[in-house]
């Protein structure tokens, strides 16, 4: 008898690999660094700032005050109220506090929504390039991803008419992520209105609007899809504290949805993790209701870095770049370099290009394939200006050797 193989008992869903290219590249870069190689990491999808002090202090104070017990599954009432107020005042979204579900990160809020909405075979329209977790979680929830792709020529935005053509009688949900990870693209009001017109006549169709990068915007004011006429009942708005308040490790996010959907989402969450951490939620209240100077300071730094990235990448011939109105990512199209060689290195794909840039030029980026795109790579500018300048210099120097 052959020895027992524990992997043989895994469910099919657990054998599909979700080891994202982001994690793979970051790990590879760290391994090279550990071996003494000088590597600049432009892979990281989180703020390089620490959480502002007054938010940290609020968590310590909350622990001292006894917020160390289970929280209600959908969140502490004070936080749900603060979120409802924020959505009303800043986003024009008329959700009541009982329509808010606080989760362990926006990621869980998205999973709650997908598990609450999808029956096996229900279709979800995903607009690529996209944050790849959408596809993984849709599949885990039994849904079928229907992926529509837009390239750099369209500023990475899929027009509403194409979305309209992809809707079938199984389509339950469209996921919109504006500002977008990985492209930095932001939907204009008229683009959102065109989508609302497409959605309106389909009575079973919802939109999940992931607005987690809303505060990291430079030349634009991102709009909430749910604030459009008639759309609040058709929208699940997702947001969180990770990016705007530099709170990735705290795991705090939320969703707002029509009451029956919010209740179903809370039931899903109750089955898996219950409520988010109590003292973290108290800190979330402070983040939302006290001074936002810290958010503005971080935004200004990202804006300076965005300018550095746009200038450096703009100077590389054959590389194509869409505007970066928001987020801390650039997503240049490097398709023109694929098929070229440097010495005995043949660059046959964007994955190979990223590996080669890391190994031969000491700059770690993430291949676009991690986001459903085979022509682009992602550069994170959530790093210091000196690292950014160094990394971009290496990228330009590396690409210049390809013929
Ligand atoms: N949505 C997008 C587009 C993201 O990029 C991320 C994190 O990278 C998340 C959601 C999840 O954020 P959280 O840390 O709140 O789970």
């Amino acid at each position: 008898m052959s020895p027992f193989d524990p992997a043989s008992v895994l469910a099919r869903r657990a054998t599909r690999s979700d080891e994202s290219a982001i994690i793979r590249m970051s790990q590879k870069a760290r391994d090279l660094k550990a071996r003494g190689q000088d590597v600049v990491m432009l892979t990281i999808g989180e703020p390089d700032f620490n959480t502002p002090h007054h938010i940290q202090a609020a968590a310590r104070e909350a622990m001292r005050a006894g917020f160390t017990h289970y929280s209600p599954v959908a969140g502490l009432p004070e936080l749900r109220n603060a979120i409802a107020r924020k959505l009303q005042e800043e986003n024009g979204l008329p959700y009541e506090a009982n329509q808010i579900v606080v989760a362990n990160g926006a990621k869980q809020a998205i999973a709650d929504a997908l598990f609450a909405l999808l029956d096996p075979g229900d279709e979800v329209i995903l607009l690529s390039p996209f944050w790849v977790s959408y596809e993984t979680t849709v599949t885990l929830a039994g849904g079928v991803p229907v992926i529509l792709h837009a390239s750099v020529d369209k500023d990475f935005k899929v027009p509403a008419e194409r979305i309209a053509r992809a809707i079938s009688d199984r389509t339950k949900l469209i996921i919109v992520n504006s500002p977008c990870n990985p492209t930095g693209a932001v939907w204009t009001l008229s683009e959102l209105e065109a989508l609302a017109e497409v959605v309106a006549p389909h009575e079973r169709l919802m939109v999940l609007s992931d607005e987690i990068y809303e505060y990291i915007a430079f030349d634009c004011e991102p709009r909430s899809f749910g604030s459009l006429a008639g759309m609040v009942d058709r929208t699940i708005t997702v947001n969180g504290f990770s990016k705007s308040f530099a709170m990735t490790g705290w795991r705090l996010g939320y969703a707002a949805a029509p009451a029956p959907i919010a209740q179903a989402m809370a039931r899903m969450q109750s089955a898996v993790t219950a409520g988010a951490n109590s003292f973290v939620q108290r800190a979330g209240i402070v983040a939302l209701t006290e001074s936002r100077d810290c958010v503005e300071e971080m935004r200004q730094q990202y804006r300076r870095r965005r300018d550095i990235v746009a200038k450096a990448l703009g100077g590389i011939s054959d590389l194509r770049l869409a505007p970066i109105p928001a987020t801390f990512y650039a997503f240049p199209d490097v398709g023109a370099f694929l098929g070229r060689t440097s010495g005995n290195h043949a660059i046959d794909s964007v994955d190979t290009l990223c590996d080669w840039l890391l190994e031969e030029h000491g700059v770690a980026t993430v291949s676009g394939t991690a986001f459903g795109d085979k022509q682009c790579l992602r550069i994170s500018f959530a790093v210091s200006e000196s690292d950014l300048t160094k990394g971009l210099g290496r990228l330009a120097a590396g690409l210049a050797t390809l013929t």
Side-chain angles (χ1 to χ4, degrees), residues 53-387:
H53 285 142
H54 70 289
I55 301 175
Q56 296 187 26
R60 281 194 295 272
E61 180 47 40
M63 269 186 263
R64 268 197 292 271
F67 284 91
T68 54
H69 300 269
Y70 285 131
S71 139
V73 172
L76 298 176
E78 298 89 326
L79 178 58
R80 295 170 84 196
N81 279 325
I83 291 168
R85 239 186 346 268
K86 174 251 182 278
L87 293 176
Q88 175 72 63
E89 287 166 10
E90 296 178 15
N91 305 86
L93 293 166
Y95 294 109
E96 305 282 338
N98 69 358
Q99 296 177 277
I100 311 293
V101 181
V102 176
N104 296 280
K107 194 169 195 172
Q108 184 177 35
I110 294 166
D112 290 343
L114 296 173
F115 279 91
L117 287 185
L118 300 181
D119 279 317
D122 281 347
E123 292 174 6
V124 179
I125 295 181
L126 301 177
L127 309 174
S128 137
F130 54 19
W131 184 50
V132 76
S133 255
Y134 300 140
E135 187 183 6
T136 313
T137 319
V138 165
T139 310
L140 272 180
V144 178
V146 174
I147 298 170
L148 305 180
H149 186 69
S151 62
V152 69
D153 317 308
K154 303 271 186 256
D155 291 347
F156 300 112
K157 285 185 267 187
V158 178
E161 343 41 289
R162 266 186 72 203
I163 298 176
R165 288 198 296 276
I167 295 172
S168 77
D169 53 6
R170 293 309 307 261
T171 311
K172 192 59 105 33
L173 189 68
I174 301 169
I175 299 186
V176 176
N177 175 214
S178 170
C180 173
N181 171 13
T183 65
V186 175
W187 287 47
T188 63
L189 180 58
S190 58
E191 287 161 345
L192 291 175
E193 282 169 346
L195 179 63
E197 267 179 44
V198 167
V199 170
H202 296 277
E203 281 171 4
R204 266 183 90 250
L205 182 58
M206 297 290 295
V207 169
L208 187 151
S209 178
D210 179 350
E211 303 178 4
I212 194 161
Y213 291 94
E214 109 177 278
Y215 291 148
I216 307 174
F218 315 117
D219 322 309
C220 60
E221 227 176 279
R223 301 292 295 253
S224 293
F225 182 76
S227 69
L228 272 55
M231 286 300 117
V232 71
D233 286 341
R234 311 295 296 278
T235 309
I236 299 163
T237 304
V238 172
N239 209 325
F241 295 76
S242 288
K243 316 288 174 174
S244 306
F245 297 98
M247 290 175 68
T248 46
W250 298 62
R251 311 309 303 127
L252 190 63
Y254 57 89
I261 297 178
Q263 283 154 15
M265 288 171 62
R267 288 198 294 278
M268 299 299 109
Q269 186 167 297
S270 169
V272 207
T273 60
N277 173 311
S278 299
F279 52 84
V280 164
Q281 292 188 63
R282 295 293 297 179
I285 298 170
V286 167
L288 280 184
T289 57
E290 292 192 5
S291 164
R292 298 279 180 84
D293 290 353
C294 53
V295 173
E296 179 55 18
E297 272 162 35
M298 290 188 274
R299 192 183 72 87
Q300 292 295 352
Q301 296 211 41
Y302 292 131
R303 190 178 52 75
R304 272 205 303 280
R305 297 169 187 177
R306 188 279 310 264
D307 294 344
I308 292 171
V309 171
K311 187 155 177 244
L313 296 181
I316 300 177
S317 55
D318 292 342
L319 177 149
R320 295 194 304 155
L321 189 68
I324 313 164
T327 73
F328 40 68
Y329 306 113
F331 202 60
D333 183 315
V334 289
F337 298 91
L338 308 182
R340 295 188 188 180
T341 54
S342 175
N344 53 6
H345 292 282
I347 305 298
D348 56 0
S349 71
V350 70
D351 291 328
T352 317
L353 178 65
C354 290
D355 281 336
W356 173 79
L357 283 168
L358 173 57
E359 286 157 16
E360 300 297 320
H361 294 276
V363 57
T365 56
V366 184
S367 163
T369 51
F371 309 95
D373 187 294
K374 293 192 172 109
Q375 303 285 311
C376 299
L377 53 81
R378 191 186 76 173
I379 291 167
S380 162
F381 47 92
V383 293
S384 69
E385 285 181 28
S386 61
D387 272 2

Side-chain angles (χ1 to χ4, degrees), residues 19 23-39 41 358:
E19 201 226 8
I23 296 171
R24 191 183 67 80
M25 275 309 268
S26 300
Q27 192 52 50
K28 190 164 174 179
R30 272 194 288 270
D31 291 348
L32 287 174
K33 263 183 149 172
R35 278 188 254 132
Q37 195 163 321
D38 172 21
V39 171
M41 306 262 285
L358 173 57

